[in-house]
Amino acid sequence: MTVYKAGDIIPRVKAAVIGLRPAGAQEVPLPTACPNCGGEINKDQERWRCAKGTGCALPALIEYAAGRDMLDIDGLGRTYVNALIESGDVTDVADLFTLTEEQLTAASGSAKRGAKLAEQIAAARSRPLSRVFCALGVLGTGRSMSRRIAAHFGTMDAVRQADASEMQEVEGIGPEKAPVIVEQVASLARVIDKLAAAGVNMTEPRQPQAAAEGPLAGRTVVVTGKMSGPLADMGRSEVNALVEKAGGRAASSVNSKTTYLVCAPSANGKPSSKAVKAAELGVTVLTPEAFAELVSDCLG
Ligand SMILES: [Zn+2]
């Protein structure tokens, strides 16, 4: 085929060069049904889509949203989710919160299960923002990223108002990911409005006051390498937990926000890349022993 530059960056297929086609070439069959749900394909535009639109992935999304790490609606598995979608009672995540006990009874086939589900859904209304946000299924925001977004912004309104540069203030969100998240949050406006109208919690509880007052309050700490001294038996995640217990923030990479790098002097005289970065940025490097001393009140 020949390809030419049609617009700014998107190349356009012009024609097949049949003379260059190898003898054993096989025809590529075009899909006749949506590969995801087996339903009809919408061919109105050059880019084909499932005729169901976002509804195509709806059962998987609703099941994900009800999961233990998200809204934690115990008992709401795929079978009942499918029944609720088929009856038209659920067209998005927010519809879960306006279901009646009768609708849940019909979907689950038992009044007892319907009542139990209604109870679970009522409890799910007060989940923290991090879980509610995670339940939206925004691309690139799993459990821990949703926690960081919720902790950073505090409220759903603040998340919605953030532009790409503000989104990048969240650790782990770079210039490529930020605009994608902002765009997806904007496209979910109707669903988020419905969730709020249904009384679903839209705020993240503040960190306990005690943690903000520890010896590491307001400090960001990166832990690397093998620990020694009083911390010798601890793995990195345990030391990170200790950082948080002492009121600090545990981070994984050294940058201008880093207060301390905790790392033992290298055994072979060659400093680690994190130690080199810390030296470049003038970040204070603490030995595991010195760090243990600093947080001694929180040890044991
Ligand atoms: Zn489909």
Side-chain angles (χ1 to χ4, degrees):
M1 65 176 79
T2 55
V3 170
Y4 75 98
K5 204 175 160 203
D8 249 3
I9 45 164
I10 303 171
R12 190 177 181 92
V13 175
K14 194 179 175 191
V17 182
I18 294 170
L20 295 177
R21 189 173 282 170
Q26 288 189 351
E27 199 176 330
V28 179
L30 291 173
T32 54
C34 168
N36 188 41
C37 70
E40 275 181 54
I41 297 176
N42 176 350
K43 299 177 183 174
D44 288 351
Q45 291 175 311
E46 270 187 67
R47 184 173 156 192
W48 292 1
R49 293 159 202 273
C50 176
K52 288 183 192 146
T54 52
C56 174
L58 192 61
L61 179 65
I62 301 291
E63 196 184 6
Y64 171 80
R68 204 165 58 103
D69 287 337
M70 276 61 72
L71 297 170
D72 194 14
I73 303 172
D74 195 24
L76 189 60
R78 179 60 77 96
T79 311
Y80 304 159
V81 167
N82 282 341
L84 288 164
I85 292 171
E86 263 158 45
S87 67
D89 291 338
V90 169
T91 61
D92 57 36
V93 175
D95 283 339
L96 290 175
F97 292 96
T98 48
L99 289 171
T100 62
E101 206 172 306
E102 289 70 37
Q103 287 170 314
L104 288 162
T105 295
S108 64
S110 126
K112 201 176 155 196
R113 281 196 291 262
K116 178 89 197 303
L117 282 166
E119 216 172 85
Q120 288 284 323
I121 289 171
R125 271 204 186 88
S126 51
R127 303 277 180 250
L129 174 64
S130 60
R131 285 163 168 266
V132 175
F133 183 81
C134 193
L136 294 172
V138 173
L139 214 67
T141 64
R143 261 313 273 142
S144 60
M145 183 56 82
S146 294
R147 268 200 299 266
R148 270 182 258 158
I149 290 172
H152 182 85
F153 292 104
T155 67
M156 187 69 95
D157 280 342
V159 175
R160 298 174 82 172
Q161 279 158 25
D163 61 20
S165 79
E166 285 161 334
M167 197 54 81
Q168 277 185 63
E169 288 168 17
V170 179
E171 203 204 340
I173 300 182
E176 279 169 39
K177 208 169 185 176
V180 178
I181 296 176
V182 168
E183 192 194 314
Q184 288 202 44
V185 169
S187 75
L188 287 162
R190 206 183 55 90
V191 177
I192 299 172
D193 286 342
K194 272 173 78 176
L195 284 166
V200 176
N201 170 57
M202 293 284 159
T203 60
E204 187 71 355
R206 287 191 165 274
Q207 290 292 319
Q209 208 55 30
E213 287 167 0
L216 295 176
R219 313 255 155 104
T220 299
V221 181
V222 176
V223 178
T224 189
K226 251 181 109 67
M227 295 295 103
S228 53
L231 310 181
D233 294 335
M234 287 188 167
R236 179 139 44 118
S237 63
E238 286 170 278
V239 182
N240 281 343
L242 181 61
V243 168
E244 279 162 19
K245 194 176 165 192
R249 215 177 131 272
S252 56
S253 62
V254 174
N255 57 38
S256 60
K257 289 176 193 156
T258 312
T259 318
Y260 300 126
L261 173 68
V262 180
C263 123
S266 86
N268 60 8
K270 264 177 69 184
S272 70
S273 60
K274 287 197 171 86
V276 171
K277 192 83 194 275
E280 274 171 23
L281 295 167
V283 171
T284 306
V285 180
L286 297 175
T287 62
E289 287 79 3
F291 178 72
E293 181 77 43
L294 190 64
V295 298
S296 55
D297 286 352
C298 303
L299 272 172

